[in-house]
Amino acid sequence: MPEETMDDEQVAGNPVIASPDIDTELLDELVTYLAHNRSDLREEWARRITDTQLLSVMTGEEIFTEVTAVYDNYVDALRTGSVETLQAYARDLSERIIPRGVETHEVLGIVLLLRDVLARSLFVNYKHDSDLLDRILDAYEPAANRIAVTVGVSFVEERERVIRAQQESIRELSTPVLQVRDHLLILPIIGVLDSQRARQLTEQLLGAIQSNRAKVVVIDITGVATIDETVANHLVQAVEASRLMGASAIITGLSSKIAQTLVDLGVDLSMMRTVGDLQGGLEEAERLIGYLRGSSATETAARSGG
Amino acid sequence: MPTAILRQGEYLVASIQSDLSDTEVLALRDELADWIGRNRARGVIVDVRALDVIDSFVARSLRSIAIIARLRGAHTVVVGIQPDVAIAMVQFKLNLIPLRATLDLDEALALLDRLTRGDGGDER
């Protein structure tokens, strides 16, 4: 018994499509058959794709071109036993169709459709000899499954790569700290604030306070739709940390929804200096800075006078 | 290493040069409280620029220095908190409102001038 189990495992883990116990002649027969009926099967597949309304963002012509390419790659993968070319093609295809909004279920759907189309055609072709049909399907099924998995995984991987790249660029774009004039910084926040972004934002803000010797920072959150408790606390901490760096923070553009959320959450806002909009915030900032300036001017005058 | 306290006009300046043990922090606190009374100081400046880390005990002690100084009639300004330190300090969930902070000594002196003239109430 243990020996048998080991055998099974070896077959399952085998990277080559054609398992050793499958007759290569059968696989040749299969490949020849598929190459021979190329145009019929291709059309059948394309028709089923259109019927099931998959790939609705693509035109019939486009679908047919891709179908042809995938079909050829598919047969090729069956013949050579290597999915590398198919994998490269699937990546390339994913790169083209992801920006157009093709979903994962569609890609999986069309690959499974091809599997069905081919299986059915094999069945029709070999049904006179059920023994041969059996062996043909034995050769076909593991290979077809592996190909379907390859295409599906390539698509998902490509999608994940795109998402990662986008996250990266959002992170880079998302926290500009702008100096408006001496001692005054503006930090406009747009989009979704999550914990990680809030932390990164605090770090950038404090760095900018130090290097620009800022006395006042206006944090504008007009572009933030919602906020949760963690992020609200991060914001409060950013304001407090700014104060520890000698800068007063003014929060502007707090929407009524966020204001309500903050009250409901019971976040302590006694530390926060808030002004309705960015314009008001800048005026308040000017007043603060003018106040700082004015008093140091009087000081100097008083000192030199005395 | 105990922290030296210098007198500059109406203000006291304590410049912390290296990480302090808990005992040293408490000693600084008591000494400052004592000096404020003796020198009739109106302001205290604590320079922490040399510190890469401020733990919760030191943060709490800075806060109590500020409160004690206030009770003795002086304002406290902490100078030179580094960005990382500031982020760490706000995580301790202490009420740090009694602590005022500036980036450097000049600003600290200007802030104390304003505070002791009594028109600094608006500055947070």
Side-chain angles (χ1 to χ4, degrees):
Chain A
M1 277 303 273
E3 272 173 25
E4 249 184 57
T5 322
M6 256 180 66
D7 237 347
D8 277 349
E9 271 173 10
Q10 272 174 352
V11 173
N14 200 320
V16 182
I17 287 177
S19 314
D21 56 339
I22 287 174
D23 199 340
T24 44
E25 264 176 44
L26 273 181
L27 208 57
D28 284 344
E29 154 99 28
L30 178 65
V31 168
T32 319
Y33 171 75
L34 293 180
H36 208 71
N37 294 282
R38 179 169 175 263
S39 50
D40 283 352
L41 290 171
R42 243 179 348 159
E43 269 162 38
E44 167 70 4
W45 186 28
R47 195 182 55 71
R48 301 253 327 244
I49 290 174
T50 328
D51 284 354
T52 42
Q53 292 179 333
L54 291 170
L55 297 181
S56 49
V57 293
M58 294 168 77
T59 65
E61 269 177 43
E62 280 175 319
I63 292 182
F64 194 73
T65 320
E66 300 296 358
V67 157
T68 308
V70 174
Y71 187 92
D72 291 346
N73 275 301
Y74 196 102
V75 175
D76 214 44
L78 279 178
R79 176 167 46 230
T80 58
S82 147
V83 289
E84 268 171 36
T85 327
L86 180 68
Q87 199 168 24
Y89 177 79
R91 281 215 192 100
D92 180 59
L93 175 68
S94 307
E95 209 171 303
R96 274 179 285 133
I97 59 179
I98 286 171
R100 303 185 54 178
V102 174
E103 298 291 335
T104 316
H105 76 88
E106 293 183 282
V107 171
L108 293 179
I110 60 169
V111 178
L112 293 179
L113 271 184
L114 176 60
R115 191 171 170 271
D116 293 347
V117 167
L118 298 188
R120 188 163 295 230
S121 124
L122 289 176
F123 187 76
V124 171
N125 193 50
Y126 294 104
K127 68 178 166 198
H128 58 273
D129 182 348
S130 69
D131 184 47
L132 180 61
L133 174 65
D134 229 30
R135 281 184 295 133
I136 286 275
L137 285 181
D138 276 348
Y140 169 74
E141 279 164 0
N145 285 351
R146 193 168 137 72
I147 290 171
V149 167
T150 304
V151 173
V153 167
S154 300
F155 181 83
V156 171
E157 277 175 355
E158 176 63 19
R159 235 169 118 102
E160 279 169 358
R161 196 189 60 77
V162 169
I163 293 171
R164 269 198 302 277
Q166 283 172 348
Q167 274 177 338
E168 189 60 35
S169 57
I170 289 173
R171 258 201 293 285
E172 278 170 15
L173 285 174
S174 62
T175 45
V177 183
L178 312 168
Q179 174 155 18
V180 187
R181 55 197 202 72
D182 281 359
H183 309 304
L184 173 55
L185 298 178
I186 297 189
L187 176 71
I189 307 176
I190 292 169
V192 180
L193 259 186
D194 56 22
S195 220
Q196 190 196 2
R197 203 180 149 202
R199 197 174 312 125
Q200 183 201 13
L201 193 135
T202 309
E203 279 165 19
Q204 294 209 340
L205 176 62
L206 298 187
I209 289 174
Q210 194 175 40
S211 55
N212 295 301
R213 314 205 67 73
K215 301 301 292 175
V216 180
V217 208
V218 179
I219 304 176
D220 181 67
I221 58 169
T222 313
V224 179
T226 55
I227 225 171
D228 65 14
E229 187 169 6
T230 325
V231 175
N233 283 326
H234 272 297
L235 210 57
V236 172
Q237 287 182 352
V239 171
E240 276 203 46
S242 304
R243 214 180 61 90
L244 291 177
M245 305 281 299
S248 308
I250 302 172
I251 306 239
T252 65
L254 216 93
S255 68
S256 58
K257 193 177 167 200
I258 290 183
Q260 281 170 16
T261 314
L262 292 181
V263 173
D264 290 345
L265 291 173
V267 177
D268 180 15
L269 297 179
S270 56
M271 291 280 305
M272 304 270 245
R273 193 195 290 264
T274 53
V275 179
D277 56 13
L278 183 58
Q279 184 183 354
L282 287 176
E283 284 163 8
E284 170 82 1
E286 302 266 318
R287 200 181 65 72
L288 269 178
I289 290 175
Y291 163 81
L292 295 172
R293 282 253 175 74
S295 61
S296 54
T298 12
E299 232 161 64
T300 326
R303 273 189 186 157
S304 57
Chain B
M1 190 172 79
T3 306
I5 299 174
L6 309 172
R7 193 159 62 89
Q8 148 75 37
E10 291 185 298
Y11 309 141
L12 300 175
V13 182
S15 186
I16 302 177
Q17 292 305 321
S18 62
D19 290 344
L20 298 181
S21 68
D22 290 359
T23 344
E24 286 167 337
V25 176
L26 293 178
L28 174 64
R29 186 191 70 184
D30 297 345
E31 207 175 344
L32 275 173
D34 188 38
W35 275 60
I36 293 167
R38 263 194 287 136
N39 295 282
R40 309 190 65 227
R42 311 275 323 269
V44 175
I45 294 172
V46 183
D47 177 10
V48 297
R49 181 173 306 280
L51 299 186
D52 295 329
V53 178
I54 289 186
D55 63 23
S56 80
F57 185 81
V58 175
R60 199 174 299 119
S61 304
L62 286 174
R63 178 173 175 269
S64 45
I65 287 175
I67 296 171
I68 291 168
R70 194 72 208 96
L71 292 172
R72 307 267 284 159
H75 293 279
T76 303
V77 180
V78 179
V79 169
I81 296 177
Q82 304 295 319
D84 294 347
V85 174
I87 291 177
M89 276 177 82
V90 299
Q91 315 267 332
F92 299 142
K93 310 272 180 200
L94 293 172
N95 178 355
L96 296 173
I97 293 182
L99 275 189
R100 288 159 192 281
T102 60
L103 287 179
D104 59 31
L105 197 57
D106 272 351
E107 284 170 12
L109 289 169
L111 175 58
L112 281 179
D113 283 348
R114 281 202 305 281
L115 290 169
T116 51
R117 263 208 331 269
D119 58 352
D122 193 37
E123 228 253 338
R124 282 190 232 184

